[in-house]
Amino acid sequence: DARVTQTPRHKVTEMGQEVTMRCQPILGHNTVFWYRQTMMQGLELLAYFRNRAPLDDSGMPKDRFSAEMPDATLATLKIQPSEPRDSAVYFCATSDSRTGELFFGEGSRLTVL
Amino acid sequence: EDQVTQSPEALRLQEGESSSLNCSYTVSGLRGLFWYRQDPGKGPEFLFTLYSAGEEKEKERLKATLTKKESFLHITAPKPEDSATYLCAVRSGSDYKLSFGAGTTVTVRA
């Protein structure tokens, strides 16, 4: 059963700490997206990669967020330093770009105190 | 910039009471309109893709339709297990990303 795997599922941390979220794409999917979901803003695109190259990170606060894809099986989203306003659910989604259908992971729920 | 507006924000239905959800969009060069279902604590789950006006797709009690300005998700004779948030998204131009609406939360009472 092919699926997107995200870790951790839940993270509680204190303001100022570094947070790293990880995503394992579906095998064969060459486009990886990071979305953030909050009650107020809904689903917002932070960044995405195609064939491991960053295509768009305009939705991401550059001073504290960074996204990388060190290899085809791993995408990471890092926040340093974290702030309470970063509290949200972070979703990784992947697609094979032919159909455009995105397949989402279960999300990483982040709480910054 | 792509804009996607969903209405209503919330919908409460009695079991068996059919209804429709609306997704209005403004894009430059639509390359696909997508419907997703999201259950609490879960990631969005893909339902349908529509590519051109007049296209329709069905899955169980759900039917999605598309015009040049909006899409409808019709729920026929809903059951409590259809309770979820339904999200609409668009893909446009040469982009790969999806832009999402805020969603409609559907609650079906037995």
Side-chain angles (χ1 to χ4, degrees), chain A residues 9 31 33 35 37 43 45 48 50 55-56 91 97-106 109, chain B residues 31 34 36 38 41-46 49 51 87 91 94-102:
Chain A
R9 291 294 316 278
T31 311
F33 303 81
Y35 282 86
Q37 188 175 42
L43 270 168
L45 179 69
Y48 74 100
R50 186 160 189 256
L55 283 193
D56 185 351
F91 286 104
S97 76
R98 289 171 300 171
T99 62
E101 298 160 9
L102 268 60
F103 294 87
F104 284 79
E106 294 289 85
R109 179 176 293 276
Chain B
R31 292 186 62 201
F34 301 78
Y36 283 81
Q38 186 175 23
K42 302 285 188 179
E45 177 186 348
F46 170 75
T49 310
Y51 292 102
L87 297 163
R91 182 183 180 192
S94 59
D95 228 335
Y96 298 99
K97 68 184 180 187
L98 297 189
S99 299
F100 283 84

Side-chain angles (χ1 to χ4, degrees), chain A residues 13 17-18 26 28 33 41 43 46-47 55 62-63 65 68 71 73-75 96 98 100 103 107 110:
Chain A
T13 190
Q17 296 298 305
E18 178 178 301
I26 293 173
F33 303 81
Q41 300 296 327
L43 270 168
L46 296 175
L55 283 193
K62 305 288 192 307
D63 57 338
F65 285 58
E68 294 180 347
D71 63 59
T73 65
L74 176 65
D96 66 7
R98 289 171 300 171
F103 294 87
L110 174 65

Side-chain angles (χ1 to χ4, degrees), chain B residues 41-57:
Chain B
K42 302 285 188 179
E45 177 186 348
F46 170 75
L47 292 173
F48 304 110
T49 310
L50 301 167
Y51 292 102
S52 56
E55 189 175 357
E56 300 182 351
K57 287 193 177 172

